[in-house]
């Protein structure tokens, strides 16, 4: 019987699943796996990063962008610990990632050897599949199971591999059960449930759709549905662009980073259609005593988790919308939609004013994000970091179908934008990639700008530089706390980019930004733009009472202890959000 090394059998399984790259760093306890990747470097690219956290965040971003499994690896012990942040991002945003983690040789396990860590225990909470390889012969089967489970459950699979086992010879008999056809059968949308949704929709006077990531890929059907039935649409932030953000029926996002019209429409709604979303901020949803709801999701465990529902429909959002659109026009009245569009018109007028904001000594963030949108191509990928970059992106980047919007939605981990941009440009090199991060977030991963230069990835990284943790500043104020621990020493990020072999620009005024934009239309090297911005952060779309009380307490405490009034947003802006 023909025999091959277990590492070769493992690579064959990865290839059967269509894996094209692995992100990570080599090291002693993963070296046999690295050696196998070296032998197959024409089929699977090994992307060397400078920090394992970037490897797992990049693998997660690849899964978000492509829908396929992202793969990362590290040594055991410290490398595995570094992977955790990106793996939790995959877990919480429900995308498939495989982590291959080294371990000391099997003969040394449980001997308290150098860098020996109980990896299975360490990663138990993050993983939907978590195994330590016990024999070389089991390696290909367990890799196959791990990927299948990660794909089926949309989560993280972890394999801990003692480094001696992949080097052993095993029979070449295993054949992977790869491919989406072997994952699950999609439930059929039942006709009686379509009839019930149709009835509820006909009876409603103020219906609204809240669509999430589960609606991605169904943008055309969703657009037809809301247009035909005169329904306002709210999209969760990670699903921005499923329907154009500036579509006439769109009210933007809802929540602290959303719009006031979306908040008000939600509170008026008498029928809520939840499409592929597990939106967690229940205070921004309608009053359940006066609003009926229908939820469509491929994951039945989510039904009724956030909002009481009349009807649960297990299935793909695209299939549901196809069935609903086959009914033709269900609603003919557009009274509620027109009212929402009127308030959204006022909101958009104000947003347009903000887009042209040139007050202050530096670039206003709203002006910067308007400039970023102006150079974005129809196929652009936005990779947005956590902090005020998230806030400004939610409000001022009007994402379109054909574009993608990568964020750390549920974990909200700083430092995600650059790894996301690296993964996006490697996976889809023909697309424009625009990353945006605050100076605090970018500093966490800036060493991996050299990864972009190593692999010749002509992405653009904007740094929103205000020398502080501006989002934390606002959080402290809205909670009634004095600002503390938020100031950052300035870094010349343009020089960092140049030191890494890329192109760096520094911008301090709107005029300098305008002059630079033509150079950013097409870049041939990794490019960083260090933009000094005004110390400002967008207010919540609707200031609720606890936030108003927090700002009042913050002001009182600052006057009492510092003997001066703090700098707050203009009163006219506060009044617009509060009333």
């Amino acid at each position: 019987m023909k025999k091959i090394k277990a590492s070769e059998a493992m690579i064959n399984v990865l290839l059967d699943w269509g894996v094209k790259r692995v992100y990570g760093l080599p090291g002693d306890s993963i070296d046999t796996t690295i050696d196998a990747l070296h032998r197959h470097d024409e089929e699977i690219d090994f992307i060397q990063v400078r920090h394992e956290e970037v490897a797992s965040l990049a693998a997660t971003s690849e899964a978000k962008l492509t829908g396929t499994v992202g793969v990362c690896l590290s040594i055991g012990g410290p490398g595995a610990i570094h992977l955790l942040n990106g793996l939790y991002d995959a877990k919480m945003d429900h995308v498939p990632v495989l982590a291959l983690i080294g371990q000391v040789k099997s003969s040394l396990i449980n001997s308290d050897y150098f860098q020996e860590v109980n990896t299975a225990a360490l990663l138990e909470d993050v993983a939907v599949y978590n195994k330590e390889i016990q024999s070389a012969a089991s390696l290909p089967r367990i890799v196959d199971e791990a990927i299948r489970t990660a794909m089926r459950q949309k989560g993280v699979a972890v394999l801990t591999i003692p480094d001696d086992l992949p080097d052993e010879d095993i029979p070449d008999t295993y054949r992977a059960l790869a491919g989406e056809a072997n994952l699950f059968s999609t439930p059929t949308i039942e006709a009686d449930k379509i009839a019930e949704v149709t009835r509820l929709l006909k009876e409603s006077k103020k219906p609204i759709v809240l669509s999430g990531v589960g609606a991605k890929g169904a943008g055309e059907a969703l657009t037809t549905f809301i247009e035909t039935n005169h329904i306002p649409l709210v999209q969760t932030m990670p699903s921005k662009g499923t329907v154009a953000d500036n579509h006439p029926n769109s009210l933007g996002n809802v929540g602290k980073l959303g719009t006031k019209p979306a908040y008000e429409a939600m509170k008026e709604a008498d029928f809520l259609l939840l499409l592929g979303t597990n939106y967690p901020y229940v205070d921004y949803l309608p009053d359940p005593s006066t609003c009926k709801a229908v939820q469509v999701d491929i994951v039945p465990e989510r039904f009724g988790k956030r909002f009481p529902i009349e009807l649960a429909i297990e299935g793909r959002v695209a299939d549901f919308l196809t069935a609903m659109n086959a009914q033709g026009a269900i609603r003919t009245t557009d009274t509620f939609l027109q009212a929402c569009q009127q308030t959204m018109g006022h909101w958009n007028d104000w947003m347009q004013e903000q887009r042209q904001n040139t007050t202050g000594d530096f670039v206003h963030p709203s002006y910067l994000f308007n400039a970023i949108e102006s150079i974005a191509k129809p196929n652009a990928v936005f990779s947005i970091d956590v902090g005020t970059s998230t806030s400004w992106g939610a409000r001022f980047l009007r994402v379109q179908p054909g574009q993608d919007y990568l964020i750390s939605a549920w974990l909200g981990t700083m430092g995600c934008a650059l790894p996301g941009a690296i993964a996006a440009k490697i996976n889809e090199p023909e697309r424009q990639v625009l990353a945006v991060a605050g100076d605090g977030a970018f500093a966490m991963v800036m060493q991996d700008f050299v990864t972009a230069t190593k692999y010749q990835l002509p992405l653009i990284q904007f740094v929103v530089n205000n020398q502080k943790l501006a989002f934390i500043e606002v959080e402290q104020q809205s909670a009634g706390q004095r600002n503390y621990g938020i100031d950052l020493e300035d870094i010349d990020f343009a020089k960092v980019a140049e030191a890494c072999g890329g192109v760096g620009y520094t911008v301090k005024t709107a005029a300098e930004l305008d002059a630079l934009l033509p150079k950013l239309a097409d870049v041939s090297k990794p490019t960083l733009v260090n933009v000094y911005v005004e110390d400002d952060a967008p207010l919540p779309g609707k200031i609720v009472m606890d936030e108003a009380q927090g700002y009042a307490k913050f002001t009182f405490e600052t006057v009492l202890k510092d003997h001066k009034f703090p700098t707050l947003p203009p009163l006219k802006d506060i009044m617009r959000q509060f009333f």
Side-chain angles (χ1 to χ4, degrees), residues 259-282:
T259 71
K260 186 178 178 183
Y263 176 89
E264 292 173 342
M266 279 289 183
K267 293 305 177 183
E268 289 288 321
D270 63 1
F271 178 73
L272 174 64
L273 182 55
L274 296 157
L275 298 179
T277 178
N278 192 26
Y279 182 80
Y281 305 108
V282 295

Side-chain angles (χ1 to χ4, degrees), residues 69 95-98 128-129 145-157:
V69 65
V95 294
V97 168
L98 172 66
V128 296
Y129 188 95
E145 287 180 4
I147 296 176
R148 196 179 319 116
T149 304
M151 291 289 291
R152 176 67 182 89
Q153 298 188 30
K154 304 297 182 187
V156 176

Side-chain angles (χ1 to χ4, degrees), residues 80 92 98 132 148 297 328 349 387:
M92 297 181 72
L98 172 66
E132 182 174 286
R148 196 179 319 116
D297 209 297
D349 289 343

Side-chain angles (χ1 to χ4, degrees), residues 214-534:
K216 279 190 170 183
E220 290 186 13
L222 179 54
T223 301
T224 298
F225 178 70
I226 60 174
E227 288 177 350
T228 302
N229 295 291
H230 314 291
I231 304 174
L233 171 70
V234 174
Q235 297 182 97
T236 63
M237 199 187 315
S239 68
K240 275 170 70 72
T242 302
V243 173
D245 276 342
N246 55 352
H247 186 278
N249 291 41
S250 174
L251 304 181
N253 311 127
V254 71
K256 287 183 180 292
L257 306 182
T259 71
K260 186 178 178 183
Y263 176 89
E264 292 173 342
M266 279 289 183
K267 293 305 177 183
E268 289 288 321
D270 63 1
F271 178 73
L272 174 64
L273 182 55
L274 296 157
L275 298 179
T277 178
N278 192 26
Y279 182 80
Y281 305 108
V282 295
D283 290 343
Y284 291 91
L285 295 179
D287 181 350
S289 67
T290 58
C291 180
K292 297 179 179 179
V294 170
Q295 187 171 2
V296 183
D297 209 297
I298 200 70
V299 183
E301 291 81 6
R302 295 175 186 158
F303 290 139
K305 192 171 187 177
R306 309 295 182 186
F307 196 86
I309 58 175
E310 298 287 313
L311 185 64
I313 299 179
E314 182 183 1
R316 297 178 195 245
V317 171
D319 295 338
F320 168 78
L321 289 171
T322 298
M324 291 300 296
N325 288 336
Q327 309 300 306
I330 300 168
R331 299 181 73 255
T332 56
T333 178
D334 63 353
T335 305
F336 183 55
L337 176 61
Q338 284 192 17
C340 292
Q341 288 173 330
Q342 184 175 5
T343 58
M344 195 63 187
H346 296 312
W347 176 270
N348 286 334
D349 289 343
W350 181 41
M351 289 296 100
Q352 190 58 34
E353 291 177 19
Q354 295 297 304
R355 289 173 182 277
Q356 304 305 318
N357 189 343
T358 55
T359 59
D361 296 326
F362 299 112
V363 180
H364 195 274
S366 58
Y367 193 90
L368 169 61
F369 277 76
N370 187 60
I372 293 171
E373 182 187 279
S374 73
I375 65 168
K377 296 181 179 180
N379 69 345
V381 179
F382 297 100
S383 185
I384 308 298
D385 222 300
V386 169
T388 53
S389 299
T390 313
S391 306
W392 296 112
R395 194 159 290 178
F396 288 101
L397 291 178
R398 293 169 293 196
V399 185
Q400 304 296 311
Q403 297 176 333
D404 279 290
Y405 198 78
L406 297 175
I407 61 170
S408 175
W410 282 75
L411 182 61
T413 182
M414 294 171 67
C416 63
L418 178 61
I422 289 170
K425 199 64 182 177
I426 287 174
N427 274 274
E428 302 190 17
E430 76 287 352
R431 297 180 68 179
Q432 180 192 44
V433 177
L434 304 170
V436 188
D439 48 340
F442 182 71
M444 292 183 173
V445 295
M446 63 183 179
Q447 77 286 333
D448 267 281
F449 195 80
V450 77
T451 301
T453 62
K454 175 183 176 70
Y455 293 102
Q456 301 178 3
L457 306 175
L459 54 84
I460 304 176
Q461 171 73 63
F462 292 90
V463 179
V464 184
N465 191 343
N466 49 21
Q467 298 98 66
K468 64 174 55 179
L469 300 169
F471 197 87
I472 308 303
E473 177 184 39
V474 175
E475 284 184 337
Q476 290 175 347
Q477 292 175 2
S478 65
Q481 302 161 352
R482 299 175 70 209
N483 290 135
Y484 183 71
I486 61 171
D487 295 321
L488 301 173
E489 286 297 307
D490 192 17
I491 297 174
D492 191 334
F493 292 107
K495 287 185 178 178
V496 171
E498 291 170 357
C500 290
V503 176
Y505 298 102
T506 295
V507 168
K508 293 188 175 181
T509 67
E512 291 175 351
L513 178 62
D514 290 342
L516 178 62
L517 290 180
K519 296 181 181 179
L520 302 179
D522 284 291
V523 298
S524 59
K525 298 180 70 174
T527 301
L528 182 145
V529 187
N530 181 25
V531 187
Y532 286 84
V533 298
E534 290 296 312

